[in-house]
Amino acid sequence: MTTLSRRHDFVLIFEVTNGNPNGDPDAGNLPRLDPETNHGLVTDVSLKRKIRNYVELARTGEAGHHIYVQEGSILNEKHRQAYTALRGEGTGKKEAKLNPKDDTEARELRDWMCRNFFDVRTFGAVMSTGINCGQVKGPVQITFANSVEPVLPMEISITRMAATNEAEQKKRAEGAEESDTRTDNRTMGRKHIVPYGLYFAHGFISAKFAERTGFSEADLDLLFEALANMFEHDRSAARGEMTTRKLIAFRHDSALGNAPAHLLFDRVKIGRNVDGEFRAADDAGLGNLRPARKFSDYMISIDREGLPIGVEILELL
Amino acid sequence: MAYGIRLHVWGQHGLFTRPELKVERVSYDVITPSAARGILEAIHWKPAICWVIDSIHVLEPIRFQSIRRNEVGHKAPAGTIKRAVNRGDMQGVQILVDEDRQQRASTVLVGPRYVIEAHFVLTARAEASETEGKHLDIFNRRAAKGQCFHQPCLGAREFAAGFELVPPGAPLPARNAQAETPDLGFGAPRDLGYMLWDIDHAAPGRPSLLFRASLQDGVMEVPQPGSPEVKR
């Protein structure tokens, strides 16, 4: 496996329809909002979680593609079984200390983690040790995703034709004079959805950090595959319909890069489609338009003119 | 000071965590010298040189926002990993995020933008043939071309920083006119209290070094290493 030798920067554009892309634990699970602009937010960690889940699904049990930060224990048990079946019960020695003895050992542990775990190799991890070497900085850095335009979350009240427990059922029965068995047991809940939102996130892949963690060209392909497909395997009642709409990567010819990332990102312009015409998303005149409700209400243009020497645009989706 | 550089940095958010408020993180009002050093090192650094921050120009008003996220509660225990390495299988090497969940809020800066003024000095690890000019050239070339070792960030890696070299002699990028308030020390100096200067990585236990930060006309002067203003 050759480690990645070129710097990459990428723009991920995804949409949500009638769903909650990322709930805010501070606001009763309302979709995250930038309070100053009302633009929707999706945190970096939310996106990374989906990448991990995708790799976990797509590469279960493959050597070097384990996931360290896991969700749920059922998949784990599967792994455990697989390993026990393959190698028999482990003969674990009792460890003397919790911390590695010296830098060399810390490095060995770190390298072992990088070799075996895709997410450690990609995003890094912090291992508790007295020595600073136990920290892995991964090559892939992802920012918060922002919606292109302000989003307006809606609160949808829903009902359930059952009560959680007897006490609740009784309370409801007392409240209702004319008892109707259908309404008796009803509980109400709430869902928060964004009717439609187009979000974009920026990502950076440092070839120099890839060198250190052994993040390879094949890992890069897997990362892009994950970014393109991760929402396809993250369906749930809360998410609604989420899809990656565009993935644009800038490949630099060198490890350190050939152009500032912000200038490359500026080449990707997302605006509204007004009768086939591109209008910038911050155009004041857009206020008169009907709110966007589908992907074709937007237009994405990539400026390929005068690209800095040594930079290549990859339109991966 | 002949080898000074100026770098314009900005981002959507910044999080320069106060050491006393790091469970539910609260950012300092202004980028810390150690975070600024980290940005420069992301562009160019060698063991032969050591970046010294001279001053920070604050170009945008100081505003905060709160973001709460699900985080994991523990670091990877080295002991478990060591055992797994010795044993040759991967049983038990993972963190179950659902069972080790902590919800933590971060109070982050909104739209920070700074100019970092800094210079570097050669360290004891520099070879005799090293020249300051070489490193200065490398830094200027990389910064001008947008090259970097890794994309610099404003305190935390999810808050990526854009950067641009301010060439020698060129005027500083304009400050947001709305930022010229007493908040940024216009009129009278504004005391920012004690701020992390840097971490002393050479000393045992890696103690924090602090200094009394203040903003005057939008500029925070940073004391030089070894000066009496740097407190332990």
Side-chain angles (χ1 to χ4, degrees), chain A residues 26 32 70 76 87 128 257, chain B residues 12 68 76 88 95-97 147:
Chain A
D26 249 356
R32 288 184 192 274
Q70 289 182 352
N76 260 330
R87 293 184 179 161
S128 75
Chain B
Q12 201 184 2
R68 187 176 290 273
I95 283 182
L96 299 179
V97 285
Q147 290 190 318

Side-chain angles (χ1 to χ4, degrees), chain A residues 105-142:
Chain A
E105 200 187 27
R107 208 170 309 131
E108 274 168 18
L109 294 181
R110 193 188 63 192
D111 290 348
W112 184 84
M113 287 295 281
C114 285
R115 258 199 322 279
N116 286 295
F117 291 91
F118 177 80
D119 57 339
V120 174
R121 197 159 67 229
T122 307
F123 304 125
V126 179
M127 289 177 252
S128 75
T129 116
I131 297 155
N132 213 11
C133 258
Q135 194 172 335
V136 185
K137 256 195 200 171
V140 178
Q141 186 178 346
I142 298 178

